[in-house]
Amino acid sequence: MATSSRLLRYAESRKNLTGSALGLVGVGITLTGAAGGLWPLVVGGLYAAGALIAPPERPGTPRFPDAGEQLDALRADFATLRAYLTEVELPPSAREKLTGLATLVEALLEPGWVSDPDHLHVLGRAVRQDIPEAVDTFVRTRWWSRFTPGAEPPESHLERQLAALHEEATAIAAALRDAEAIRQEIHTRYVEERGD
Protein backbone atom coordinates (compact mmCIF):
# COMPACT_ATOMS: atom_id res chain seq x y z
CA MET A 1 0.00 0.00 0.00
CA ALA A 2 2.87 2.38 0.82
CA THR A 3 4.46 1.72 -2.59
CA SER A 4 1.26 2.57 -4.46
CA SER A 5 0.79 5.80 -2.49
CA ARG A 6 4.41 6.76 -3.22
CA LEU A 7 3.87 6.04 -6.92
CA LEU A 8 0.69 8.11 -6.90
CA ARG A 9 2.52 11.00 -5.18
CA TYR A 10 5.30 10.83 -7.79
CA ALA A 11 2.77 10.67 -10.65
CA GLU A 12 1.25 13.94 -9.37
CA SER A 13 4.61 15.58 -8.62
CA ARG A 14 6.06 18.58 -10.42
CA LYS A 15 9.05 16.54 -11.51
CA ASN A 16 6.92 13.93 -13.27
CA LEU A 17 4.58 16.50 -14.85
CA THR A 18 7.47 18.64 -16.17
CA GLY A 19 9.33 15.55 -17.39
CA SER A 20 6.20 14.26 -19.12
CA ALA A 21 5.64 17.61 -20.83
CA LEU A 22 9.20 17.63 -22.19
CA GLY A 23 8.87 13.93 -23.11
CA LEU A 24 5.83 14.89 -25.24
CA VAL A 25 7.98 17.53 -26.92
CA GLY A 26 10.43 14.69 -27.66
CA VAL A 27 7.59 12.65 -29.21
CA GLY A 28 6.72 15.68 -31.35
CA ILE A 29 10.33 15.94 -32.51
CA THR A 30 10.29 12.21 -33.29
CA LEU A 31 7.09 12.54 -35.35
CA THR A 32 8.72 15.25 -37.48
CA GLY A 33 11.53 12.80 -38.24
CA ALA A 34 14.26 14.97 -36.72
CA ALA A 35 15.24 12.34 -34.10
CA GLY A 36 15.66 9.46 -36.50
CA GLY A 37 16.61 6.16 -34.91
CA LEU A 38 17.64 7.82 -31.68
CA TRP A 39 14.07 8.78 -30.78
CA PRO A 40 14.01 6.72 -27.53
CA LEU A 41 17.09 8.62 -26.30
CA VAL A 42 15.56 11.97 -27.29
CA VAL A 43 12.24 11.27 -25.52
CA GLY A 44 13.94 9.76 -22.44
CA GLY A 45 16.56 12.54 -22.31
CA LEU A 46 13.95 15.28 -22.52
CA TYR A 47 11.88 13.56 -19.81
CA ALA A 48 14.96 13.30 -17.56
CA ALA A 49 15.91 16.93 -18.22
CA GLY A 50 12.39 18.06 -17.33
CA ALA A 51 12.42 16.00 -14.14
CA LEU A 52 15.77 17.51 -13.15
CA ILE A 53 14.88 21.15 -13.80
CA ALA A 54 11.46 21.01 -12.15
CA PRO A 55 11.27 22.80 -8.78
CA PRO A 56 11.14 20.48 -5.78
CA GLU A 57 7.91 19.76 -3.98
CA ARG A 58 7.20 22.02 -1.02
CA PRO A 59 5.48 20.65 2.02
CA GLY A 60 2.28 22.42 2.93
CA THR A 61 2.49 25.22 5.46
CA PRO A 62 1.34 24.00 8.87
CA ARG A 63 -1.92 25.45 10.07
CA PHE A 64 -2.11 26.61 13.65
CA PRO A 65 -5.29 27.63 15.46
CA ASP A 66 -6.08 31.33 15.20
CA ALA A 67 -6.88 33.54 18.18
CA GLY A 68 -10.61 32.77 17.99
CA GLU A 69 -10.04 29.01 18.07
CA GLN A 70 -7.54 29.37 20.91
CA LEU A 71 -10.04 31.47 22.84
CA ASP A 72 -12.80 28.88 22.32
CA ALA A 73 -10.52 26.11 23.61
CA LEU A 74 -9.47 28.27 26.56
CA ARG A 75 -13.10 29.05 27.37
CA ALA A 76 -13.89 25.30 27.43
CA ASP A 77 -10.89 24.67 29.70
CA PHE A 78 -12.05 27.49 31.99
CA ALA A 79 -15.48 25.85 32.29
CA THR A 80 -13.73 22.63 33.35
CA LEU A 81 -11.64 24.58 35.88
CA ARG A 82 -14.75 26.29 37.27
CA ALA A 83 -16.39 22.91 37.86
CA TYR A 84 -13.27 21.76 39.72
CA LEU A 85 -13.11 24.92 41.83
CA THR A 86 -16.71 24.56 43.03
CA GLU A 87 -15.86 21.16 44.54
CA VAL A 88 -12.76 22.29 46.43
CA GLU A 89 -13.11 23.30 50.07
CA LEU A 90 -11.32 26.60 50.72
CA PRO A 91 -11.18 29.06 53.61
CA PRO A 92 -13.51 32.08 53.13
CA SER A 93 -10.73 34.60 52.44
CA ALA A 94 -9.11 32.38 49.79
CA ARG A 95 -12.54 31.60 48.30
CA GLU A 96 -13.25 35.33 48.03
CA LYS A 97 -9.93 35.99 46.25
CA LEU A 98 -10.49 33.01 43.96
CA THR A 99 -14.00 34.17 43.09
CA GLY A 100 -12.71 37.65 42.22
CA LEU A 101 -9.97 36.15 40.03
CA ALA A 102 -12.37 33.75 38.31
CA THR A 103 -14.84 36.57 37.62
CA LEU A 104 -12.11 38.70 36.07
CA VAL A 105 -10.77 35.83 33.94
CA GLU A 106 -14.29 34.98 32.80
CA ALA A 107 -14.86 38.59 31.73
CA LEU A 108 -11.58 38.61 29.81
CA LEU A 109 -12.51 35.39 28.03
CA GLU A 110 -15.71 36.88 26.65
CA PRO A 111 -15.64 36.99 22.82
CA GLY A 112 -14.20 40.10 21.27
CA TRP A 113 -11.88 41.22 24.06
CA VAL A 114 -8.61 39.31 24.13
CA SER A 115 -6.91 38.66 20.80
CA ASP A 116 -3.30 39.51 21.62
CA PRO A 117 -1.21 36.29 21.64
CA ASP A 118 0.68 37.37 24.77
CA HIS A 119 -2.55 37.99 26.67
CA LEU A 120 -3.95 34.66 25.48
CA HIS A 121 -0.77 32.96 26.69
CA VAL A 122 -0.99 34.55 30.14
CA LEU A 123 -4.68 33.65 30.48
CA GLY A 124 -4.07 30.13 29.18
CA ARG A 125 -1.24 29.59 31.65
CA ALA A 126 -3.43 30.89 34.49
CA VAL A 127 -6.40 28.68 33.57
CA ARG A 128 -4.53 25.53 32.61
CA GLN A 129 -1.65 25.62 35.06
CA ASP A 130 -1.37 28.34 37.70
CA ILE A 131 -4.84 28.35 39.26
CA PRO A 132 -5.34 24.56 39.36
CA GLU A 133 -1.81 24.04 40.69
CA ALA A 134 -2.20 26.70 43.38
CA VAL A 135 -5.48 25.23 44.58
CA ASP A 136 -4.31 21.61 44.39
CA THR A 137 -1.07 22.41 46.23
CA PHE A 138 -3.08 24.16 48.94
CA VAL A 139 -5.39 21.16 49.34
CA ARG A 140 -2.46 18.75 49.61
CA THR A 141 -0.40 21.00 51.91
CA ARG A 142 -3.34 21.71 54.18
CA TRP A 143 -3.62 18.00 54.92
CA TRP A 144 0.08 17.73 55.79
CA SER A 145 0.12 20.94 57.84
CA ARG A 146 -1.85 19.16 60.56
CA PHE A 147 1.31 17.19 61.34
CA THR A 148 3.57 20.26 61.57
CA PRO A 149 2.05 22.74 63.99
CA GLY A 150 3.54 26.22 64.03
CA ALA A 151 4.43 26.23 60.32
CA GLU A 152 3.23 29.02 58.05
CA PRO A 153 -0.39 28.30 57.17
CA PRO A 154 -0.92 27.12 53.57
CA GLU A 155 -3.77 29.62 53.21
CA SER A 156 -1.28 32.50 53.18
CA HIS A 157 0.60 30.99 50.24
CA LEU A 158 -2.63 30.36 48.33
CA GLU A 159 -3.82 33.91 48.94
CA ARG A 160 -0.47 35.36 47.80
CA GLN A 161 -0.55 33.22 44.65
CA LEU A 162 -4.13 34.24 43.88
CA ALA A 163 -3.26 37.90 44.46
CA ALA A 164 -0.34 37.66 42.01
CA LEU A 165 -2.56 35.97 39.41
CA HIS A 166 -5.23 38.63 39.94
CA GLU A 167 -2.58 41.29 39.36
CA GLU A 168 -1.60 39.67 36.02
CA ALA A 169 -5.23 39.51 34.90
CA THR A 170 -5.79 43.11 36.03
CA ALA A 171 -2.83 44.21 33.89
CA ILE A 172 -4.45 42.58 30.86
CA ALA A 173 -7.75 44.31 31.64
CA ALA A 174 -5.93 47.64 31.99
CA ALA A 175 -4.19 47.15 28.64
CA LEU A 176 -7.55 46.38 27.00
CA ARG A 177 -9.15 49.41 28.65
CA ASP A 178 -6.30 51.64 27.42
CA ALA A 179 -6.58 50.22 23.89
CA GLU A 180 -10.32 50.88 23.84
CA ALA A 181 -9.81 54.44 25.14
CA ILE A 182 -7.28 55.11 22.37
CA ARG A 183 -9.61 53.60 19.81
CA GLN A 184 -12.47 55.80 21.00
CA GLU A 185 -10.26 58.88 20.97
CA ILE A 186 -9.11 58.15 17.41
CA HIS A 187 -12.69 57.64 16.25
CA THR A 188 -13.79 60.90 17.92
CA ARG A 189 -10.98 62.77 16.18
CA TYR A 190 -11.92 61.14 12.86
CA VAL A 191 -15.60 62.09 13.20
CA GLU A 192 -14.78 65.67 14.23
CA GLU A 193 -12.27 66.16 11.41
CA ARG A 194 -14.62 64.65 8.86
CA GLY A 195 -17.11 67.43 9.50
CA ASP A 196 -14.56 70.10 8.43
Side-chain angles (χ1 to χ4, degrees):
M1 190 69 173
T3 305
S4 64
S5 68
R6 259 196 318 220
L7 282 173
L8 185 59
R9 272 199 315 264
Y10 182 75
E12 296 172 343
S13 72
R14 294 178 186 178
K15 291 189 174 292
N16 183 47
L17 294 175
T18 306
S20 296
L22 285 181
L24 285 174
V25 169
V27 170
I29 292 172
T30 301
L31 291 177
T32 63
L38 298 174
W39 70 269
L41 290 174
V42 171
V43 172
L46 285 173
Y47 175 84
L52 287 174
I53 65 169
E57 294 294 320
R58 289 179 301 154
T61 305
R63 187 194 169 287
F64 298 106
D66 63 8
E69 293 169 329
Q70 289 176 9
L71 194 57
D72 290 342
L74 187 54
R75 212 174 286 122
D77 291 344
F78 182 69
T80 303
L81 176 64
R82 267 258 151 90
Y84 163 72
L85 295 176
T86 58
E87 296 177 13
V88 177
E89 185 182 325
L90 297 173
S93 60
R95 175 62 69 186
E96 184 180 324
K97 285 188 183 304
L98 185 61
T99 301
L101 175 61
T103 303
L104 180 56
V105 170
E106 185 175 28
L108 290 170
L109 292 178
E110 286 295 317
W113 289 114
V114 176
S115 59
D116 182 83
D118 291 336
H119 293 164
L120 280 172
H121 173 73
V122 169
L123 289 173
R125 186 181 61 211
V127 168
R128 295 179 178 131
Q129 179 183 347
D130 294 338
I131 297 172
E133 188 173 326
V135 172
D136 185 58
T137 302
F138 164 76
V139 170
R140 292 171 187 264
T141 307
R142 183 177 62 179
W143 185 84
W144 284 105
S145 68
R146 288 184 273 173
F147 300 111
T148 55
E152 186 176 5
E155 295 86 19
S156 65
H157 285 287
L158 176 62
E159 289 175 15
R160 286 171 41 203
Q161 292 166 12
L162 294 174
L165 292 170
H166 193 277
E167 206 173 291
E168 277 186 346
T170 302
I172 293 173
L176 292 174
R177 187 174 41 250
D178 292 346
E180 287 302 313
I182 290 170
R183 183 174 160 215
Q184 185 179 28
E185 197 176 300
I186 289 171
H187 188 67
T188 301
R189 196 174 315 126
Y190 163 73
V191 171
E192 289 174 350
E193 291 173 0
R194 188 177 62 188
D196 294 338

